[in-house]
Amino acid sequence: MKKDIQGKRVVVIGGGTGLSTMLKGIKQYTSQITAIVTVADNGGSSGKIREEMGIVPPGDIRNCLVALANTEPIMEKILQYRFTEGSLNGQNFGNLLIATLAEITGSFEEAVHVTSKVLAITGEVLPVTLEDVHLSARFEDGSRVIGETEIVEYGKQNQSNICHIELSPKFPQPTEKVIQALMEAELIILGPGSLYTSIIPNLLVKDISEYIKRATAQKIYIANIMTQPGETSRFSLEEHIEILEHYLGRNVLDTVVINNENVTKEQMKEYEEEGAKLLTINEGHDVWKRMRRIEAPLIKIYEDEKFIRHDPVKLAKCIFQMKD
């Protein structure tokens, strides 16, 4: 731990790969971490368990637990193991473990708590709500699509951006622990992650935006490295911020963190074929009159899989070395 920031109470809000990746770096700087995770996922292993067992989808929560784990590396492999044969083909062992614990303990919250203890995690992972929620999106072409997986697929296939998104049922209740974490936070971080399907769903839970506004914490948005086809195609950084402010409110965010590390044309080739572009910045936009922008080299290239991601070490260092 770094002595100057050890113990800082940090709340991170999001879902998907971006959130769990960032947590791996943040836990090197503070043990007081609360990850607030969206629960609208309805695809893959999580979707099957959600449909068949009627519990909160465990996938994103599992990834955050693994990211914060302090046990032997074999435990991460076990929790992330995906069956490839038989009736369990496609199922993830970690998801099955959490689902089993939910049945044994009678509570999804308790299942996550028990898993946290088994993994000796740094901090806490919380579902933003325990209600059975689904995403509903309206696209620029006028289409309305229900379900996170269906929304992502429709956007990619039709190259139409989302223009509005909501939860069904509307305004589900947050958990008490989520409210408490926001009110006690010294630093609240939104992102990185899919704007409409990972970050904003958390803000659609009843009064979450209001609690974030009221919190005395510093509030930071970690911008994605590039646009996302079907969600934010062709959007600038400023448009990302304006959309986020539509759901969160203006003058809530203090700081935006963005990558300024170069990406080669070769590294971008496959992304561009899918319609993704590096985020652009409009220096003259009025958002920069009300918030500061921190730029830093934040990229990690996974050459074997040709993925471009945030580097958890670089990102955490950037976050915790910035001045309040």
Side-chain angles (χ1 to χ4, degrees):
M1 297 287 180
K2 309 294 190 296
K3 291 182 180 180
D4 58 333
I5 45 80
Q6 185 178 5
K8 196 165 192 177
R9 294 187 297 276
V10 178
V11 171
V12 296
I13 302 172
T17 305
L19 181 62
S20 55
T21 297
M22 181 172 63
L23 289 173
K24 293 177 182 178
I26 288 178
K27 75 175 184 180
Q28 304 303 320
Y29 288 83
T30 178
S31 60
Q32 298 196 77
I33 305 167
T34 302
I36 297 175
V37 187
T38 180
V39 291
D41 186 10
N42 70 330
S45 173
S46 280
K48 290 179 183 178
I49 288 175
R50 173 182 186 171
E51 182 180 351
E52 293 176 7
M53 300 187 65
I55 64 170
V56 170
D60 285 350
I61 290 169
R62 181 201 77 244
N63 284 330
C64 290
L65 290 169
V66 170
L68 294 173
N70 293 295
T71 52
E72 293 297 321
I74 188 64
M75 285 302 297
E76 177 176 350
K77 292 181 180 179
I78 291 172
L79 267 291
Q80 299 291 49
Y81 179 78
R82 195 172 298 276
F83 295 92
T84 57
E85 297 179 1
S87 61
L88 290 177
N89 184 31
Q91 280 290 3
N92 173 278
F93 177 81
N95 289 350
L96 293 173
L97 173 63
I98 294 172
T100 302
L101 287 169
E103 288 227 335
I104 291 172
T105 64
S107 162
F108 185 84
E109 273 189 301
E110 186 61 22
V112 175
H113 177 67
V114 172
T115 308
S116 300
K117 289 171 65 176
V118 169
L119 294 176
I121 75 165
T122 298
E124 190 170 21
V125 179
L126 302 174
V128 66
T129 181
L130 292 172
E131 294 187 35
D132 182 23
V133 297
H134 291 269
L135 278 179
S136 173
R138 189 174 71 250
F139 285 82
E140 291 173 330
D141 63 8
S143 299
R144 183 172 178 266
V145 181
I146 298 174
E148 180 185 318
T149 301
E150 291 80 4
I151 289 167
V152 172
E153 188 61 28
Y154 183 90
K156 286 181 179 179
Q157 293 295 326
N158 295 275
Q159 292 297 301
S160 180
N161 282 340
I162 297 168
C163 58
H164 178 75
I165 201 157
E166 60 185 40
L167 287 176
S168 177
K170 287 188 176 182
F171 312 122
Q173 291 289 335
T175 67
E176 287 299 322
K177 285 187 175 182
V178 165
I179 296 170
Q180 182 181 355
L182 289 171
M183 291 296 94
E184 295 178 353
E186 296 173 87
L187 176 63
I188 296 175
I189 304 170
L190 285 83
S194 301
L195 185 63
Y196 278 109
T197 54
S198 290
I199 301 174
I200 290 173
N202 293 287
L203 306 180
L204 300 175
V205 173
K206 185 175 173 60
D207 294 332
I208 287 296
S209 290
E210 189 60 35
Y211 287 120
I212 294 173
K213 290 178 194 175
R214 286 166 46 194
T216 58
Q218 182 183 9
K219 293 136 193 172
I220 299 173
Y221 170 50
I222 310 297
N224 289 343
I225 297 167
M226 59 188 76
T227 62
Q228 186 170 352
E231 285 202 31
T232 57
S233 301
R234 305 177 303 278
F235 283 10
S236 65
L237 169 60
E238 293 79 16
E239 286 173 296
H240 280 72
I241 294 168
E242 287 180 321
I243 291 165
L244 191 56
E245 288 183 327
H246 173 74
Y247 295 90
L248 181 62
R250 285 184 63 156
N251 300 315
V252 176
L253 295 171
D254 307 308
T255 305
V256 179
V257 174
I258 184 170
N259 168 69
N260 66 0
E261 189 169 349
N262 289 330
V263 180
T264 67
K265 289 184 178 180
E266 185 61 30
Q267 290 165 340
M268 279 297 299
K269 185 177 179 181
E270 288 191 22
Y271 283 93
E272 288 181 341
E273 287 174 355
E274 293 180 359
K277 302 284 186 182
L278 288 172
L279 230 55
T280 59
I281 299 173
N282 178 0
E283 297 286 354
H285 200 285
D286 66 358
V287 300
W288 306 124
K289 296 177 182 178
R290 59 180 186 270
M291 66 181 68
R292 66 172 173 167
R293 184 175 80 239
I294 304 294
E295 297 186 38
L298 301 173
I299 282 179
K300 182 174 183 178
I301 307 291
Y302 295 81
E303 297 289 356
D304 54 337
E305 298 173 314
K306 298 183 179 179
F307 285 151
I308 301 171
R309 298 281 190 260
H310 280 95
D311 185 305
V313 175
K314 293 177 183 178
L315 182 55
K317 183 178 180 181
C318 175
I319 290 169
F320 286 96
Q321 287 189 349
M322 72 173 66
K323 295 180 180 179
D324 293 342

